[in-house]
């Protein structure tokens, strides 16, 4: 006997969760399975929609001849991307035709973001406007983003209040002074200074960010002083470090920290620090693994629970069975050796892209490993990439090609299996890293795939 | 006292069975690994080790691979466990560290990434000692579930811990003796069960506990579990064994030590529920699953017990049974750690045929249908905690799902934190405080939950839940029995 559901969603990231909730709200009985703990814990916690429209065609054509590495163009010969966009919806028409946003339309992005707002409540900000917010991230860059955690709200680059950035010597990947310099150089409308303080030194040299978060959550004593007080004390002498262009000293009105200000008690930690410093306190999203990502994961899995969606993590799909019509009947999941059949009327595949391992590749080709769906790609490997690491990489857009209802298509352009929908990074056509569109693509395609799958099941 | 008799075959070889699997796909006669040049990550000294070939593509103007350009190299001395594939898969994303409940509270613990792939590389490069911090790993195995690259972290930890205990730990030290006693819980429990009431009293006698804390490092704060006056196996014998005979539906029950000596009501519930569904229950001879032994690096002890278990379970499988465990750490051990660590005839079959009790019913019976009209008869609210080892088998939500819609039952998930006890970890004086710090989040969530009875599949999680909240703790099988059978 199989474990049956109306809609079976494969993948525990943003796209999978969105699809599962969208399908559930259409009245379907939904189950979500994922191989590993959610990839949300690797994500910054920012929810971008569309920040840039990169050029997909070079300024001049590639030279004729067999494809080799030398045939690629100099980075300078590519037009600059359009952006940062004032608002995400404005750029959708300039995207390539096979982009997921072009398939599902701007309204799908709008509805996906609205669903997200509903799920996260007041933990996130940005829903009050169509415009992108500019959020400083830990490299010193400013990212255009549609929604952002409440914890980063006081740090927006469009705000003109003077800013202090706090860093710690032991956090080597996060250099507060370089960060402040880069922000300044990018022309932000406020004065900013970076400072390194002693606090993290009380912990082991390679302490995990979860260790800091836990110590602040519990307000553990650090060398005899409660953690929040100890951190505020370390920062307090620097509140007048910011000097404006005329050499005047401002008392800062907001202080930014690496994103480890608590986990379960994050809001209380921030409020406590703000109180002690007499300034707004905000977090700067960092690379993976990230506390804002972990907090979002917790919140969205609570939402799944509240919606009545069943979910299981830690078990990979290893095989599938089709019925006489070629439709997927069962997915076989590997529970530590035994293959367990999971039955479903509709399958939503939201397994991620090349980084998330929803796409697999070797020298022979790029594959979708769960259902062996067709992934369009140049047959010559040298056409998969260009020399400029940050350039328009064709492989970034690899993925399954769906129809406008997000049903997966086979190599002939026909609907594959008949009951398989795709969502998120496994869908081809977007270069989410350059576009700053990863979350938006997941929300828009997750919403449409989940709704379409559920509607099909109900018929 | 800690010495177990029988089946001590002294075979020290373990863990060689994975060598074939991890070199699969490349040519591997005689355990020789052949590099295929297909890896994107190649160390700078690679060209020196595989015969001085300068370019894997045979030159800048050719894209053709020249298969003759590499020589097979023997990377590992014969018989050693080859975990290089696993170490190479680690791209240092640090997800494992973020999921580690110990690293969150213990400043001295460098985390699973160090304990696994990094330490393994250090070992390969020069013959460095295993770092003592490996003994602080509680073997919750959360890192396995967190790793997006399927690095076999817990396998690496088990190997390293085994090696540390075998080669570096002072065998006359109090810590070793204490760990050996904790790891061999079955032995103590068997002796204690001869005079259960006296044992329960003596083990929790205040002055005795003070002495145990001071001399053995067993925290006086903990209460020893009560020993049953009738063990599960005695009950099974007294009732005359199976009441249902059915050659088409057979299960072999791996009750583990705890259901036998401490909570036979869980074992009885298992039998009654399975017989209710028409299964013939077999109760083969068995020893400890090995879980507490892995966590303490006592791999030889674990192997000795595994030999007995595999021998008896494989016989039951031969008679058409699947193996059912009611403790999620036992099923975890049989399913994952056995084939990862030991090379015993039939061990893969045991792994493939082992299931958790509720999981098996959900796969093979229409449990939803059976529960639709059923009710335990009174209103019940539970605060459910999913053990880490259930999480790793994809079972963390099964109790909530199964009972959520049952009439009269409220089942609340108290979140994804670790209970902190991790088997024997919380039973060590030097770890007790950390164990309670890890558990704090779960205690809070339990107190926030509506129910005042706890529920979990893991006996030591149950101890911790009871210790931290004072709640009575049940196993899902007991609720299933009350709902369907009683």
């Amino acid at each position: 006997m199989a474990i049956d559901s109306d809609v079976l969603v494969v993948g525990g990231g943003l796209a999978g969760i969105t699809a599962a909730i969208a399908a559930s709200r259409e009245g379907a009985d939904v189950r979500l399975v994922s191989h590993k703990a959610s990839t949300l814990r690797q994500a910054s916690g920012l929810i971008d929609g569309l920040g840039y429209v990169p050029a997909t065609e070079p300024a001049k054509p590639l030279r004729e001849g067999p494809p080799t590495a030398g045939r690629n163009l100099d980075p300078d010969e590519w037009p600059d991307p359009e952006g940062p966009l004032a608002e995400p919806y404005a750029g959708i028409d300039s995207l390539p035709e096979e982009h997921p946003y072009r398939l599902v339309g701007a309204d799908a992005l709008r509805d996906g973001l609205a669903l997200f707002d509903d799920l996260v409540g007041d933990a996130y900000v940005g829903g009050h406007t169509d415009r992108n917010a500019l959020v400083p991230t830990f490299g010193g860059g400013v990212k255009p983003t549609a929604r952002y955690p409440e914890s980063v709200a006081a740090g927006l680059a469009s705000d003109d209040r003077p800013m202090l950035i706090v860093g710690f010597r032991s956090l080597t990947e996060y250099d507060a002074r370089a960060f402040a310099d880069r922000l300044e150089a990018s022309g932000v409308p406020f004065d900013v200074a970076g400072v390194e303080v002693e606090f993290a030194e009380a912990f082991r040299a390679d302490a995990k960010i979860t260790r800091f978060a836990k110590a602040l959550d519990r307000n553990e004593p650090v060398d005899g002083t409660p953690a929040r007080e100890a951190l505020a004390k370390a920062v307090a002498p620097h509140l007048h470090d910011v000097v404006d262009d005329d050499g005047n000293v401002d008392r800062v009105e907001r202080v930014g920290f690496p994103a480890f200000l608590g986990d379960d008690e994050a809001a209380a930690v921030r409020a406590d620090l703000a109180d002690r410093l007499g300034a707004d306190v905000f977090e700067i999203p960092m690379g993976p693994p990230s506390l804002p990502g972990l907090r979002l994961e917790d919140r969205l899995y609570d939402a799944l629970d509240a919606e009545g969606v069943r979910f299981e993590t830690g078990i990979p799909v290893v095989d599938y069975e089709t019925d006489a019509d070629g439709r997927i009947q069962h997915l076989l999941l590997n529970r530590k050796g035994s293959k367990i059949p999971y039955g479903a009327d509709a399958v939503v595949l939201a397994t991620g892209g090349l980084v998330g391992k929803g796409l697999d590749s070797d020298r022979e080709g790029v594959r979708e490993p769960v259902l062996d769906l067709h992934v369009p790609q140049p047959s010559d490997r040298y056409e998969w990439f260009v020399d400029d690491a940050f350039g328009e990489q064709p492989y970034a857009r690899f993925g399954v090609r769906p129809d406008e209802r997000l049903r997966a298509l086979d190599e002939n352009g026909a609907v594959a299996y008949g009951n398989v929908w795709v969502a998120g990074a496994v869908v081809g056509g977007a270069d989410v890293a350059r576009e700053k569109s990863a979350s938006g693509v997941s929300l828009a395609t997750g919403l449409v795939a989940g709704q379409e799958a559920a509607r099909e099941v109900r018929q | 006292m800690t010495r177990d008799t029988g089946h001590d075959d002294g075979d020290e070889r373990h863990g060689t069975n994975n060598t074939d699997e991890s070199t699969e796909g490349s040519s591997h006669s005689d355990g020789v690994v052949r590099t295929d040049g297909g890896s994107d990550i190649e160390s700078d000294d690679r060209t020196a080790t595989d015969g001085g070939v300068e370019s894997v593509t045979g030159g800048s103007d050719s894209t053709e691979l020249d298969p003759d350009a590499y020589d097979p190299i023997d990377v590992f001395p014969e018989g050693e466990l080859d975990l290089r594939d696993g170490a190479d898969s680690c791209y240092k994303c640090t997800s494992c560290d973020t999921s580690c409940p110990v690293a969150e509270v213990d400043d001295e613990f460098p985390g699973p990434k160090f304990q696994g792939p990094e330490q393994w590389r250090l070992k390969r490069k020069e013959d460095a000692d295993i770092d003592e911090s490996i003994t602080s790993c509680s073997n919750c195995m959360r890192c396995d579930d967190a790793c997006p690259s399927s690095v076999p972290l817990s396998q690496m930890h088990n190997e390293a811990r085994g090696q540390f205990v075998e080669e570096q730990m002072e065998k006359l030290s109090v810590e070793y003796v204490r760990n050996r006693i904790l790891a061999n819980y079955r032995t103590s429990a068997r002796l204690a069960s001869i005079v259960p009431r006296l044992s329960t009293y003596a083990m929790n006698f205040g002055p005795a506990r003070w002495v145990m804390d001071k001399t053995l490092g067993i925290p006086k704060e903990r209460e020893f579990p009560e020993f049953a006056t009738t063990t599960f196996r005695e009950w099974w014998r007294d009732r005359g064994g199976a009441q249902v005979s059915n050659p088409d539906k057979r299960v072999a029950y791996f009750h583990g030590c705890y259901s036998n000596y401490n909570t036979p009501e869980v074992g009885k519930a298992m039998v009654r529920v399975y017989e209710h569904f028409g299964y013939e229950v077999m109760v083969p001879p068995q020893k400890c699953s090995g879980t507490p032994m892995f966590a303490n690096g006592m791999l030889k002890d674990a192997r000795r017990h595994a030999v007995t278990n595999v021998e008896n379970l494989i016989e039951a499988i031969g008679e058409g049974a699947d193996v059912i465990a009611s403790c999620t750490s036992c099923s975890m051990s049989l399913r994952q750690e056995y084939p990862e660590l030991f090379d015993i005839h039939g061990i893969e079959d045991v792994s493939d045929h082992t299931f958790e009790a509720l999981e098996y019913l959900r796969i093979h019976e229409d449990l939803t249908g059976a529960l639709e009209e059923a009710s335990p008869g009174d209103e019940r609210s539970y605060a459910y905690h999913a053990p880490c080892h259930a999480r790793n088998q994809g079972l963390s939500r099964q109790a909530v799902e199964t009972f959520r819609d049952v009439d009269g039952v409220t089942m609340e998930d108290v979140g994804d934190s670790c209970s902190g006890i991790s088997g024997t970890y919380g039973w060590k004086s030097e770890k007790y405080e950390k164990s309670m710090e890890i558990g704090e989040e779960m205690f809070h969530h339990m107190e926030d939950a509506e129910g005042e009875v706890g529920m979990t599949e893991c006996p030591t999680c149950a101890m911790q839940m009871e210790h931290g909240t004072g709640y009575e703790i049940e196993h899902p099988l007991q609720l299933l029995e009350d709902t369907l059978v009683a």
Side-chain angles (χ1 to χ4, degrees):
Chain A
M1 207 167 161
I3 294 176
D4 288 319
S5 328
D6 293 342
V7 176
L8 185 57
V9 178
V10 186
L14 188 59
I17 293 169
T18 308
I21 288 178
S24 178
R25 291 192 174 180
E26 289 289 317
D29 168 49
V30 185
R31 178 181 295 277
L32 179 148
V33 291
S34 82
H35 181 186
K36 293 287 185 178
S38 174
T39 47
L40 280 168
R41 59 182 59 190
Q42 315 269 16
S44 68
L46 300 177
I47 299 295
D48 50 15
L50 183 65
Y52 295 89
V53 179
T56 53
E57 293 295 326
K60 65 171 198 181
L62 294 175
R63 74 171 166 76
E64 293 295 314
T68 63
R71 174 171 166 267
N72 289 324
L73 293 169
D74 194 82
D76 295 340
E77 293 180 78
W78 284 84
D80 285 336
E82 186 191 324
L85 302 174
E87 60 126 320
Y89 308 105
I92 289 181
D93 288 344
S94 328
L95 292 168
E97 232 172 81
E98 58 280 1
H99 194 284
Y101 282 158
R102 295 289 300 276
L103 285 176
V104 297
D107 282 347
L109 175 59
R110 206 176 281 278
D111 295 346
L113 286 166
L115 175 64
F116 179 81
D117 291 339
D118 182 40
L119 298 178
V120 296
D122 55 11
Y124 270 72
V125 195
H128 60 288
T129 172
D130 273 354
R131 296 175 65 84
N132 275 323
L134 298 171
V135 176
T137 62
F138 82 116
V142 171
K143 173 168 168 158
T145 186
R147 303 290 187 270
Y148 46 95
E150 208 269 323
S151 70
V152 312
L156 293 195
S158 49
D159 186 337
D160 61 6
R161 293 177 297 161
M163 178 191 284
L164 179 71
I165 308 280
V166 178
F168 307 94
R169 201 167 312 135
S170 58
L171 280 188
T172 50
E173 75 276 28
Y174 177 97
D175 182 334
R177 282 181 286 236
F179 176 107
D181 290 348
R182 266 181 238 137
L183 263 187
E184 192 107 69
S186 69
V188 291
F190 51 85
D191 298 313
V192 54
V195 62
E196 245 171 29
V197 304
E198 301 247 333
F199 168 73
E201 281 66 21
F203 300 85
R204 69 174 289 125
D206 58 349
K208 316 305 167 204
I209 57 159
T210 50
R211 177 75 195 99
F212 297 120
K214 188 89 174 177
L216 289 165
D217 264 357
R218 305 177 70 239
N219 212 6
E220 284 175 25
V222 176
D223 295 338
T225 311
R228 298 175 195 174
E229 189 187 333
L231 182 54
K233 271 188 174 160
V235 174
H238 301 283
L239 291 170
H240 292 86
D241 279 11
V242 178
V243 181
D244 71 15
D245 292 342
D246 305 325
N248 299 320
V249 176
D250 288 331
R251 189 185 192 282
V252 295
E253 293 173 45
R254 46 184 179 153
V255 181
F257 292 87
F260 63 49
L261 300 182
D263 185 3
D264 273 10
E265 303 293 331
V269 171
R270 250 180 6 258
D272 199 345
L273 287 172
D275 202 34
R276 290 174 186 280
L277 293 171
D280 282 352
V281 164
F282 64 94
E283 290 187 314
I284 294 149
M286 317 229 314
S290 102
L291 254 301
L294 281 160
R295 295 183 203 126
L296 180 60
E297 178 188 343
D298 283 348
R299 199 163 276 271
L300 292 179
Y301 275 79
D302 284 348
L304 280 178
D305 197 11
E307 297 284 336
V309 172
R310 292 162 298 165
F311 53 88
E312 291 163 29
T313 65
I315 42 176
V317 180
V318 288
D319 209 348
Y320 61 89
E321 293 165 352
T322 52
D323 65 13
D325 299 329
R327 293 165 70 89
I328 300 288
Q329 193 172 22
H330 295 126
L331 296 183
L332 301 180
L333 281 92
N334 183 352
R335 286 215 193 128
K336 305 285 173 207
S338 19
K339 281 187 190 176
I340 314 295
Y342 280 61
D345 294 329
V347 173
V348 178
L349 199 69
T351 43
L354 284 162
V355 179
K357 298 193 166 67
L359 298 173
D360 191 12
S361 67
D362 58 20
R363 291 177 168 235
E364 304 305 315
V366 182
R367 289 174 306 280
E368 185 287 296
V370 174
L371 298 174
D372 207 17
L373 293 169
H374 174 60
V375 179
Q377 57 196 272
S379 57
D380 192 306
R381 184 158 49 87
Y382 281 84
E383 291 185 34
W384 295 357
F385 62 91
V386 296
D387 288 350
D388 174 17
F390 298 103
E392 165 67 21
Q393 296 288 354
Y395 68 77
R397 296 181 190 272
F398 285 0
V400 176
R401 183 166 299 167
D403 66 8
E404 70 283 354
R405 294 178 56 201
L406 295 181
R407 291 177 299 183
L409 299 177
D410 67 15
E411 62 270 33
N412 303 315
V415 174
Y417 300 108
N419 61 342
V420 175
W421 283 257
V422 285
V426 75
V427 180
D431 183 347
V432 295
R434 301 182 77 219
E435 295 165 0
K436 307 296 173 208
S437 64
S439 304
V441 166
S442 288
L443 289 169
T445 56
L447 179 90
V448 172
Q451 288 178 339
E452 291 286 340
R455 284 171 193 159
E456 176 93 355
V457 165
R458 280 193 319 177
Q459 274 170 9
Chain B
M1 162 183 182
T2 60
R3 188 93 184 143
D4 213 327
T5 52
H7 295 284
D8 192 352
D9 56 13
D11 189 344
E12 289 180 31
R13 291 192 62 227
H14 59 79
T16 53
N17 59 316
N18 263 26
T19 310
D20 279 352
E21 195 182 304
S22 49
T23 56
E24 204 177 347
S26 46
S27 154
H28 56 89
S29 53
D30 313 321
V32 165
V33 179
R34 188 184 175 118
T35 58
D36 64 3
S39 168
D40 292 325
I41 306 157
E42 285 156 20
S43 63
D44 290 333
D45 59 356
R46 207 194 76 109
T47 46
T49 57
D50 75 357
V53 180
E54 281 180 4
S55 165
V56 291
T57 58
S60 56
D61 51 6
S62 163
T63 59
E64 289 302 309
L65 289 172
D66 177 6
D68 297 329
Y70 333 95
D71 294 318
I73 46 162
D74 191 353
V75 184
F76 303 105
E78 200 181 338
E80 271 201 49
L81 187 62
D82 175 6
L83 291 168
R84 189 170 83 167
D85 269 8
D88 285 355
S89 301
C90 169
Y91 55 79
K92 291 183 165 282
C93 72
T94 315
S95 279
C96 52
D97 288 345
T98 314
S99 73
C100 175
V102 178
E104 210 170 82
V105 297
D106 185 353
D107 284 346
E108 302 302 314
F109 187 64
K113 187 177 66 179
F114 169 78
Q115 302 297 354
E118 289 178 357
Q119 176 144 267
W120 194 84
R121 284 191 204 106
L122 280 175
K123 284 286 298 172
R124 304 265 22 126
K125 206 72 182 166
E126 52 210 90
D127 198 21
D129 279 352
I130 300 282
D131 192 75
E132 194 184 349
S133 60
I134 188 68
T135 58
S136 289
C137 162
S138 72
N139 205 33
C140 73
M141 303 164 97
R142 277 179 176 252
C143 43
D144 281 353
D145 194 30
C147 176
S149 247
S150 299
V151 174
L153 287 145
S154 68
Q155 186 183 13
M156 290 173 154
H157 301 160
N158 272 326
E159 284 288 326
R161 193 166 31 232
Q163 204 170 326
F164 176 81
V165 170
E166 182 69 24
E167 289 165 21
Q168 289 163 240
M169 206 172 183
E170 179 53 60
K171 301 298 177 295
L172 294 173
S173 68
V174 170
E175 194 186 356
Y176 178 84
V177 172
R178 190 266 321 266
N179 289 359
R180 191 99 198 265
I181 292 172
L182 287 174
N184 284 277
Y185 176 71
R186 183 179 180 274
T187 308
S188 322
R190 203 183 54 209
L191 293 174
S193 275
I194 298 168
V195 278
R197 287 197 186 88
L198 178 64
S199 303
T200 306
Y201 172 76
M203 300 275 257
N204 289 305
F205 179 57
R209 295 307 308 277
W210 184 85
V211 171
M212 280 162 93
D213 199 337
K214 292 293 169 231
T215 58
L216 274 178
I218 292 177
K220 60 182 185 306
E221 291 85 351
R222 291 233 179 254
E223 252 187 65
F224 272 103
E226 212 169 295
F227 289 99
T229 45
T230 309
T231 67
F232 170 75
R233 293 191 78 91
E234 285 163 0
W235 171 82
W236 176 255
R237 191 193 56 214
D238 294 347
R239 93 196 277 258
Q243 306 288 307
V244 172
S245 158
N246 185 351
D248 298 326
K249 280 170 84 172
R250 273 186 184 149
V251 291
Y253 180 36
F254 190 87
H255 47 68
C257 310
Y258 207 76
S259 287
N260 189 36
Y261 296 114
N262 300 95
T263 54
E265 60 274 15
V266 172
K268 292 177 200 172
M270 184 277 168
V271 170
R272 291 181 188 132
V273 167
Y274 270 74
E275 289 190 343
H276 172 80
F277 282 104
Y279 285 89
E280 177 175 338
V281 178
M282 304 158 78
V283 183
Q286 55 193 273
K287 292 195 171 184
C288 169
S289 71
T291 300
M293 296 158 179
F294 301 138
N296 287 286
M298 311 284 172
L299 293 182
K300 278 186 182 173
D301 288 347
R303 190 182 197 284
R304 205 173 49 240
H305 288 238
V307 167
T308 307
N309 291 336
V310 170
E311 206 169 82
N312 288 296
L313 294 175
I314 207 74
E315 198 180 316
I317 292 168
E319 290 167 36
D322 283 321
V323 180
I324 306 299
S326 50
C327 160
T328 41
S329 292
C330 291
S331 60
M332 188 69 187
S333 170
L334 265 50
R335 286 173 136 177
Q336 179 172 324
E337 282 158 324
Y338 270 26
E340 274 184 359
L341 298 173
F342 304 130
D343 192 7
I344 298 171
H345 177 70
I347 204 161
E348 293 281 352
D349 294 315
V350 170
S351 168
D352 291 354
H353 282 89
T354 299
F355 299 85
E356 195 278 331
L358 186 55
E359 174 192 22
Y360 192 77
L361 290 176
R362 276 158 52 87
I363 296 164
H364 293 278
E365 303 298 327
D366 180 13
L367 206 52
T368 317
L371 288 169
E372 227 154 57
E373 301 295 318
S375 164
D378 49 355
E379 294 288 322
R380 298 186 184 197
S381 299
Y382 294 94
Y384 172 77
H385 163 76
C388 297
H389 290 174
R391 198 167 291 282
N392 277 22
Q393 294 170 73
L395 305 177
S396 64
R397 297 281 301 174
Q398 62 167 3
V400 174
E401 279 183 19
T402 304
F403 294 109
R404 184 150 57 184
D405 299 326
V406 173
D407 212 23
V409 177
T410 311
M411 183 78 67
E412 229 172 309
D413 190 340
V414 297
D416 65 355
S417 65
C418 170
S419 77
I421 193 166
S422 287
T424 58
Y425 176 84
W427 275 99
K428 300 172 181 174
S429 295
E430 74 277 15
K431 301 285 192 286
Y432 174 76
E433 290 296 330
K434 300 288 172 214
S435 156
M436 294 303 281
E437 281 173 38
I438 296 169
E440 201 174 82
E441 194 179 325
M442 181 191 72
F443 303 145
H444 287 319
H445 289 183
M446 283 181 71
E447 276 150 15
D448 289 346
E450 196 187 312
E452 300 222 326
V453 176
M455 177 162 281
T456 192
E457 288 94 337
C458 166
T460 58
C461 286
M463 284 181 208
Q464 178 87 333
M465 291 163 81
E466 189 184 347
H467 186 60
T469 61
Y471 288 9
E472 180 194 334
I473 315 295
E474 283 186 27
H475 189 284
L477 280 171
Q478 292 171 274
L479 178 58
L480 204 55
E481 183 194 10
D482 289 352
T483 310
L484 290 175
V485 188

